[in-house]
Amino acid sequence: NSMLSKFKLFIILIIILSVKSTYSNEKFSNYKNYKKTKIKFNIEKVASKLNYPWGLSFIDEENLLITEKNGRLLRVNIKNGLKKEIKHNIQSIKYDGESIAYQQGGLLDVYHHEGYIYFTYSHDFNEKISADNKPSKASSTAIARGRLVDNEIIDLQILLLAHPKLHINKHFGSRIAIKDDMLFVSFGERD
């Protein structure tokens, strides 16, 4: 029965891979008709010594928030380059920079909107498990929001915690956008 199921899956995969995409031959030749901007852009360094930054969002004309995969949240003043670490209790998996088991976790995207700071992150369920003889944690992608007061995120609310929780610690995602009072978030497929 198991062998028959595997054979059926194999046949389905062969069929899917052999079918050409309807749009695979699409040509984009009109790119030359796009209008060019007359705005001059300058590249300026506003921060250095960041640890795997992932997302950023302006909170006013001079300050932006930057997330790092190790779980840090920073406020950076773009005029003088001063960085201030923001306190928070977001329960994210901390990217350690080396271990394959935790290489893609962390604090992910950040988005400032109408007094709230929205976050996506790799939620740590604080359950250690072993999969394929590799250390792993039970985790999922989550969306949360809070308010920034005196260099601290307060009133943190988890808006969505994806289920099921998985032991695979990669491909969490994600990006945030808000339009017409609707919150849009992309998620990774979690491998």
Side-chain angles (χ1 to χ4, degrees), residues 5-132:
S5 296
K6 288 180 183 178
F7 180 73
K8 287 179 184 177
L9 180 61
F10 176 75
I11 296 299
I12 290 170
L13 284 173
I14 293 297
I15 292 169
I16 289 171
L17 293 175
S18 65
V19 175
K20 289 187 177 180
S21 170
T22 307
Y23 301 103
S24 64
N25 293 324
E26 184 74 28
K27 302 282 186 208
F28 295 99
S29 59
N30 66 342
Y31 67 91
K32 292 180 181 177
N33 298 332
Y34 296 166
K35 292 181 181 180
K36 294 181 183 175
T37 181
K38 301 223 186 272
I39 297 172
K40 300 267 186 193
F41 291 96
N42 294 322
I43 297 175
E44 296 179 33
K45 182 189 273 188
V46 296
S48 60
K49 298 182 182 174
L50 299 173
N51 189 351
Y52 298 97
W54 180 280
L56 62 87
S57 183
F58 277 92
I59 55 176
D60 59 37
E61 298 260 337
E62 292 188 5
N63 292 284
L64 59 93
L65 295 177
I66 298 177
T67 60
E68 293 181 332
K69 288 175 62 175
N70 65 3
R72 281 194 334 163
L73 176 63
L74 302 170
R75 178 197 309 243
V76 176
N77 183 300
I78 64 168
K79 300 292 185 190
N80 59 25
L82 291 177
K83 291 186 291 195
K84 179 71 177 171
E85 188 166 348
I86 305 298
K87 295 177 190 173
H88 65 80
N89 61 354
I90 298 172
Q91 200 172 306
S92 69
I93 290 176
K94 306 298 188 257
Y95 172 64
D96 63 13
E98 296 176 18
S99 168
I100 286 178
Y102 310 118
Q103 67 183 356
Q104 295 182 14
L107 199 50
L108 302 173
D109 207 11
V110 60
Y111 193 91
H112 176 258
H113 182 73
E114 295 184 357
Y116 284 100
I117 310 296
Y118 291 81
F119 301 94
T120 53
Y121 64 97
S122 56
H123 185 82
D124 186 349
F125 286 95
N126 293 318
E127 298 173 17
K128 292 190 180 196
I129 53 179
S130 179
D132 302 326

Side-chain angles (χ1 to χ4, degrees), residues 136-190:
S136 191
K137 292 183 174 193
S139 62
S140 188
T141 304
I143 305 164
R145 76 177 186 177
R147 295 189 183 277
L148 178 60
V149 176
D150 297 328
N151 293 316
E152 184 175 1
I153 299 297
I154 63 167
D155 302 328
L156 188 71
Q157 303 169 284
I158 296 176
L159 303 176
L160 178 86
L161 184 54
H163 288 281
K165 54 187 168 184
L166 300 173
H167 68 274
I168 299 167
N169 290 320
K170 57 184 177 177
H171 300 185
F172 293 97
S174 55
R175 291 294 183 205
I176 302 170
I178 297 178
K179 182 169 175 57
D180 299 328
D181 292 326
M182 295 293 292
L183 174 65
F184 297 91
V185 181
S186 64
F187 278 31
E189 90 298 338
R190 295 301 310 278

